[in-house]
Amino acid sequence: MNKPRLYSGMQPSADSLQIGNYIGALMQWRTLQDENEAFFSVVDLHALTQPNSPSELRQKTRRTAAQYIAAGIEPSRSTLYVQSHVPAHAELAWILSTITGFGEAGRMTQFKDKSSRYGADATNVGLFTYPVLMAADILLYQTDLVPVGDDQKQHIELTRDLAERFNSRFGETFTMPRPVIQKETARIYDLQNPTSKMSKSAESDAGVLWLLDDPKATAKKIMRAVTDDEGSVRYDREAKPGVSNLLVIYSALTGREMGSIEDEYAGRGYGDFKKGLAEVVVGEFEPVRTRALELLDDPAELDRALGVNAERAAAVADRTLADVYDKMGLLRRV
Ligand code: TYM
């Protein structure tokens, strides 16, 4: 029996991943790589939709890959590679763009948010076609499951629509992918602004917990996290967004039920709770950080592992692309 295929990726858009990427995606990837045939990419072509200096982009790409490995993704078992190393991604994205409606792409909420933030002149066409490239990533690998945070759900719906459209026009070609989204941890919020999603590209750094940050800085940010005046450690997303977000993080990292954490801190103040959480987060991040920095000390070895994995990925992707070209009537090169 073949194992189900799993595909996911992250943008190398910062020097470090943040705790939302870790809890919303990486922790799931780590568990799911056992029962599935997994592909994990560092989506550097997607990151080109934001301004970057070339040397920084290279650096962020290696750092992202190092954090995958440090967090437990094993390059000998899962195929962990850099998107631009497999040209089929850009090629299939072009093909899929020819069956994507202009209005359909314009309805993507991430595009709408970003383009309204930047203004028309600063919004590039790549940002508009971003979800089409993401669909290409997923469909090239005949993916069954896509573990992501909740913000990617709409992009996966588009991917499914495109797969269905292609299959019905040109014949059965793509596997229909399904998102895997953990309900409670699908969205981790900014510690300073607990009603907006924590993001690598947040305007202020104060509410973002970075995987590679110094442990003291991480603890300090947790101690300063926004809470409320009630003083009781209790989950209530509506009335207590700050405390609830901290409880979700606590529970996700320890695997403990929310209720047991509430009981432990009953009658104690937020200070104690935050101190406990800081220990949990620092304890979780520390080995990952140490290992990631070790891997980054030997970039040649890291690049070698990524190269081997890219070859494995390309073997699968090229097969799908050849089938697509054929089905659409592109003349075969002899
Ligand atoms: P990116 O780099 O923004 O985020 C990577 C993953 O982290 C999740 N995530 C979060 N989860 C919970 N709480 C948060 N605050 C939070 N912030 C981010 C995201 O949902 C994502 O799973 N478009 C994708 C990258 C991509 C991709 C793909 C993913 C490109 N091609 C194919 C899956 C399959 C993105 O921007 O991820």
Side-chain angles (χ1 to χ4, degrees), residues 120-183:
D121 287 341
T123 300
N124 57 64
V125 174
L127 210 53
F128 185 64
T129 55
Y130 180 113
V132 179
L133 177 58
M134 181 163 160
D137 298 341
I138 297 167
L139 298 179
L140 275 175
Y141 296 88
Q142 307 296 350
T143 302
D144 299 291
L145 302 170
V146 190
V148 283
D150 155 78
D151 58 346
Q152 299 302 315
K153 198 168 160 195
Q154 197 189 24
H155 292 161
I156 297 170
E157 275 158 19
L158 175 71
T159 304
R160 290 170 56 88
D161 289 344
L162 294 177
E164 196 172 80
R165 193 169 307 155
F166 191 98
N167 287 349
S168 75
R169 282 194 202 163
F170 301 104
E172 206 52 41
T173 308
F174 296 123
T175 303
M176 192 57 73
R178 236 174 357 98
V180 183
I181 299 173
Q182 299 294 329
K183 203 162 145 266

Side-chain angles (χ1 to χ4, degrees), residues 7-13 18-25 29 41 43 46 83 110 114 130 133-135 137-138 146-152 155-156 185-189 197-200:
Y7 193 96
S8 203
M10 294 195 195
Q11 291 195 72
S13 46
Q18 42 88 3
I19 199 168
N21 304 131
Y22 186 77
I23 294 176
W29 296 8
S41 58
V43 295
H46 278 109
Q83 184 190 34
Q110 283 209 337
K114 286 189 180 164
Y130 180 113
L133 177 58
M134 181 163 160
D137 298 341
I138 297 167
V146 190
V148 283
D150 155 78
D151 58 346
Q152 299 302 315
H155 292 161
I156 297 170
T185 55
R187 191 169 285 239
I188 302 294
Y189 294 87
K197 188 188 75 164
M198 191 185 287
S199 160
K200 288 191 235 92

Side-chain angles (χ1 to χ4, degrees), residues 28-317:
Q28 291 191 72
W29 296 8
R30 186 167 62 202
T31 323
L32 290 166
Q33 69 177 339
D34 292 333
E35 311 110 55
N36 299 280
E37 186 187 356
F39 292 80
F40 299 117
S41 58
V42 178
V43 295
D44 55 347
L45 297 174
H46 278 109
L48 295 176
T49 57
Q50 306 286 331
N52 260 301
S53 88
S55 62
E56 278 177 14
L57 178 60
R58 251 188 297 277
Q59 166 85 349
K60 290 173 185 170
T61 301
R62 283 204 186 98
R63 289 176 80 94
T64 303
Q67 290 171 88
Y68 287 4
I69 299 172
I73 303 303
E74 293 175 30
S76 54
R77 182 152 52 130
S78 298
T79 302
L80 186 175
Y81 71 100
V82 175
Q83 184 190 34
S84 66
H85 292 176
V86 180
H89 289 254
E91 295 177 61
L92 183 62
W94 170 257
I95 298 286
L96 293 177
S97 77
T98 67
I99 63 161
T100 307
F102 195 81
E104 190 175 32
R107 281 193 291 276
M108 295 294 111
T109 55
Q110 283 209 337
F111 170 73
K112 286 201 282 190
D113 289 351
K114 286 189 180 164
S115 55
S116 68
R117 224 182 309 143
Y118 306 154
D121 287 341
T123 300
N124 57 64
V125 174
L127 210 53
F128 185 64
T129 55
Y130 180 113
V132 179
L133 177 58
M134 181 163 160
D137 298 341
I138 297 167
L139 298 179
L140 275 175
Y141 296 88
Q142 307 296 350
T143 302
D144 299 291
L145 302 170
V146 190
V148 283
D150 155 78
D151 58 346
Q152 299 302 315
K153 198 168 160 195
Q154 197 189 24
H155 292 161
I156 297 170
E157 275 158 19
L158 175 71
T159 304
R160 290 170 56 88
D161 289 344
L162 294 177
E164 196 172 80
R165 193 169 307 155
F166 191 98
N167 287 349
S168 75
R169 282 194 202 163
F170 301 104
E172 206 52 41
T173 308
F174 296 123
T175 303
M176 192 57 73
R178 236 174 357 98
V180 183
I181 299 173
Q182 299 294 329
K183 203 162 145 266
E184 202 47 71
T185 55
R187 191 169 285 239
I188 302 294
Y189 294 87
D190 190 288
L191 301 195
Q192 286 302 317
N193 189 3
T195 50
S196 26
K197 188 188 75 164
M198 191 185 287
S199 160
K200 288 191 235 92
S201 47
E203 268 162 36
S204 152
D205 177 65
V208 182
L209 297 178
W210 302 106
L211 209 49
L212 299 185
D213 225 349
D214 174 73
K216 284 204 190 90
T218 299
K220 208 170 180 181
K221 283 183 187 169
I222 294 173
M223 296 310 292
R224 290 186 181 162
V226 165
T227 49
D228 53 60
D229 300 333
E230 193 200 40
S232 76
V233 178
R234 184 169 67 75
Y235 182 86
D236 180 340
R237 189 60 96 179
E238 291 295 307
K240 297 163 71 68
V243 172
S244 301
N245 187 40
L246 299 180
L247 271 167
V248 168
I249 295 174
Y250 201 125
S251 161
L253 295 183
T254 56
R256 284 174 56 187
E257 296 286 335
M258 206 77 85
S260 109
I261 305 166
E262 289 174 346
D263 291 347
E264 179 180 342
Y265 289 99
R268 295 159 70 183
Y270 291 151
D272 264 6
F273 170 56
K274 287 174 165 178
K275 235 184 259 164
L277 177 63
E279 271 170 35
V280 166
V281 174
V282 167
E284 179 82 17
F285 280 10
E286 206 31 28
V288 180
R289 174 173 181 264
T290 308
R291 179 79 186 115
L293 297 178
E294 260 168 36
L295 289 161
L296 288 164
D297 269 345
D298 190 353
E301 176 53 27
L302 185 60
D303 289 359
R304 197 199 56 78
L306 291 171
V308 171
N309 278 245
E311 244 169 78
R312 237 163 39 213
V316 178

